Amino acid sequence: MRRRLLAVLMVLMGAATLLLSVPLADSYASGRTEHLLLQRRADAVRFADLADRVRTAADRAELSAEIRRYAELYGAGVSVVDPAGRVIARAGPGITRRTADDVLGRALTGRSTEQLPTVRPWGPDRVVLAEPVGRDERVGGAVLLAVPTAAARRDVTVRWVLVAGGALTAFAAAALVAAGITRWLMRPVRDLDRAVAGLASGSLQSRAVSDTGPPELRSLRRHFNGMAEAVADSLGRQRAFVADASHQLRNPLATLVLQLENVEPHLTPGPGRKEHARALDEAERLEELLDGLLALARVEAGAAERTLQDVARAVRERVTAWQPVFEASGLTLTVEAVPEGLRARAVPDAVGRILDAVLDNAVKFVPAGGSVTAWAACADGSAVVRVSDDGPGVPQDQLPLLTRRFARSPEHQNVPGSGLGLAIADEIARLSGGSLGTAGHEPHGLVVELRLPCA
């Protein structure tokens, strides 16, 4: 946005500079042309007076000598013609009828040249003006002057260079001012953007700190910080309530489980024992659920800094640790190519904790004889860790639900667990700036993919 704003300001200032400098330059060229006309018109008037007084051969010789000296001095072409357009005296470069017809026709009707083509650096090289010989209706011919414009074009060029230099200097100064204004306007916006990104990534301590910019943006910063404080306080209270409630329920629940276990020896054989066993299983499941809620609350409340982690090492270590569990369940756990030096930035032990949740689910849901494969690589700027299995998998429409809290497929309702494992793993991935996704595995099975920012 800063570039776009600066570009708009530069375009506006460039247009303003052109609108001021171009008319100024053109005005000087017009003024210099008018000055040239006035200078040379005075000379043409003098020659017209001499031509009007020509009566004898001596007068004609004097006129010829005068225009010859003038032509040699100024490099101009001078022609004196009679009312029929025939040349009676000439000096200097010739004047073509094509360039002189218009001004000559006006002069033979008694009108002087009142306007010349505007002299600019690129031309014209010569301008032609005419002055009638005689007065009133008694026109006895005309004087034509073909005036070189080199000096006038040089003056116009110098003045245009000065105007262009002044315009560029003004534009550069305005550009510096625009850059400063743009920085002043955009600094609080960028600061707000960083704060919003921090909040979106789970860092509830992110605040907008810039105190510059227009009053409206400073007011927006204060309101945003107030909103962020309210959101952080609300989430903190919510998480604290979940953690406190879970913790407070653990003690009476542990006592209940202990009492149920103590009652078991005193039960007589019969339906009561089966109901007792079912009640004990439900109490243990509730205890596991509370442990999961406590773990999730700790993860959500965690504000650990992201650090550099060896993803390849974490994958190999967790696969090695889970190998005996898989063998005891009749499953095969293998590791495909994991490149050395694969690193990512994440919260401490993020890869290990997420792999623990994913592999724990695989042990629960993949039937005996199945296989699970772990794979890691760097792709598209992310460290990718993928765990796939050949189990029964999950219907396509239920895949997005797997990372939700307490999610459980209808056919897996009786499998032990709290339904919080992948939800905790997804929260860890989010706090690490990454993501956790699920997909089907061909021909059957499930793929869980972790993506973390690659270092």
Side-chain angles (χ1 to χ4, degrees), residues 164-203:
L168 289 176
T169 302
F171 181 76
L176 292 176
V177 173
I181 293 175
T182 303
R183 284 195 298 269
W184 179 68
L185 287 173
M186 295 308 301
R187 186 178 295 117
V189 176
R190 291 197 303 270
D191 186 46
L192 280 171
D193 181 66
R194 284 193 295 267
V196 171
L199 283 177
S201 65
S203 177

Side-chain angles (χ1 to χ4, degrees), residues 65-361:
E66 186 73 20
I67 63 176
R68 185 171 56 253
R69 286 194 299 270
Y70 183 85
E72 291 173 355
L73 179 62
Y74 293 106
V78 186
S79 295
V80 181
V81 300
D82 61 15
R86 293 187 297 270
V87 177
I88 60 176
R90 175 185 295 170
I95 302 174
T96 62
R97 293 298 298 268
R98 182 176 59 84
T99 60
D101 273 347
D102 183 52
V103 294
L104 178 59
R106 292 173 56 86
L108 291 177
T109 60
R111 292 176 295 174
S112 302
T113 300
E114 297 178 352
Q115 186 175 4
L116 294 177
T118 303
V119 176
R120 294 184 174 88
W122 52 85
D125 295 333
R126 289 177 179 273
V127 291
V128 179
L129 60 94
E131 186 69 22
V133 175
R135 293 291 181 272
D136 301 326
E137 289 82 10
R138 189 178 61 84
V139 177
V143 176
L144 294 175
L145 262 66
V147 181
T149 60
R153 285 188 287 116
R154 184 172 56 252
D155 292 345
V156 172
T157 301
V158 171
R159 186 58 59 92
W160 279 24
V161 169
L162 293 176
V163 170
L168 289 176
T169 302
F171 181 76
L176 292 176
V177 173
I181 293 175
T182 303
R183 284 195 298 269
W184 179 68
L185 287 173
M186 295 308 301
R187 186 178 295 117
V189 176
R190 291 197 303 270
D191 186 46
L192 280 171
D193 181 66
R194 284 193 295 267
V196 171
L199 283 177
S201 65
S203 177
L204 299 181
Q205 290 75 33
S206 296
R207 298 291 183 272
V209 297
S210 176
D211 197 25
T212 62
E216 294 81 3
L217 289 179
R218 292 200 296 270
S219 175
L220 177 61
R221 177 189 65 83
R222 290 191 296 270
H223 292 322
F224 171 81
N225 286 341
M227 179 198 70
E229 290 287 350
V231 170
D233 182 65
S234 176
L235 288 177
R237 290 174 181 271
Q238 177 185 351
R239 291 170 180 173
F241 172 76
V242 172
D244 292 344
S246 301
H247 183 74
Q248 293 299 324
L249 287 173
R250 290 188 67 194
N251 293 332
L253 184 60
T255 303
L256 176 61
V257 172
L258 183 60
Q259 290 176 350
L260 288 174
E261 291 176 348
N262 291 334
V263 168
E264 184 177 6
H266 305 287
L267 294 177
T268 59
R273 278 187 174 273
K274 186 179 294 185
E275 294 298 330
H276 174 270
R278 188 178 295 113
L280 187 59
D281 290 340
E282 290 299 326
E284 291 175 349
R285 181 179 178 182
L286 182 58
E287 189 174 19
E288 183 179 355
L289 178 62
L290 290 176
D291 289 339
L293 286 173
L294 278 173
L296 182 61
R298 283 194 294 268
V299 168
E300 289 180 337
E305 292 291 331
R306 299 172 190 173
T307 59
L308 196 62
Q309 299 183 26
D310 191 335
V311 176
R313 179 181 177 184
V315 171
R316 284 192 289 267
E317 286 181 351
R318 298 323 301 158
V319 168
T320 301
W322 279 90
Q323 199 77 46
V325 179
F326 274 74
E327 291 176 356
S329 300
L331 300 173
T332 302
L333 177 60
T334 58
V335 181
E336 289 188 356
V338 178
E340 291 291 340
L342 179 60
R343 297 177 181 274
R345 288 199 172 274
V347 298
D349 198 27
V351 178
R353 294 158 72 185
I354 294 172
L355 277 178
D356 283 342
V358 175
L359 294 177
D360 181 57
N361 272 4

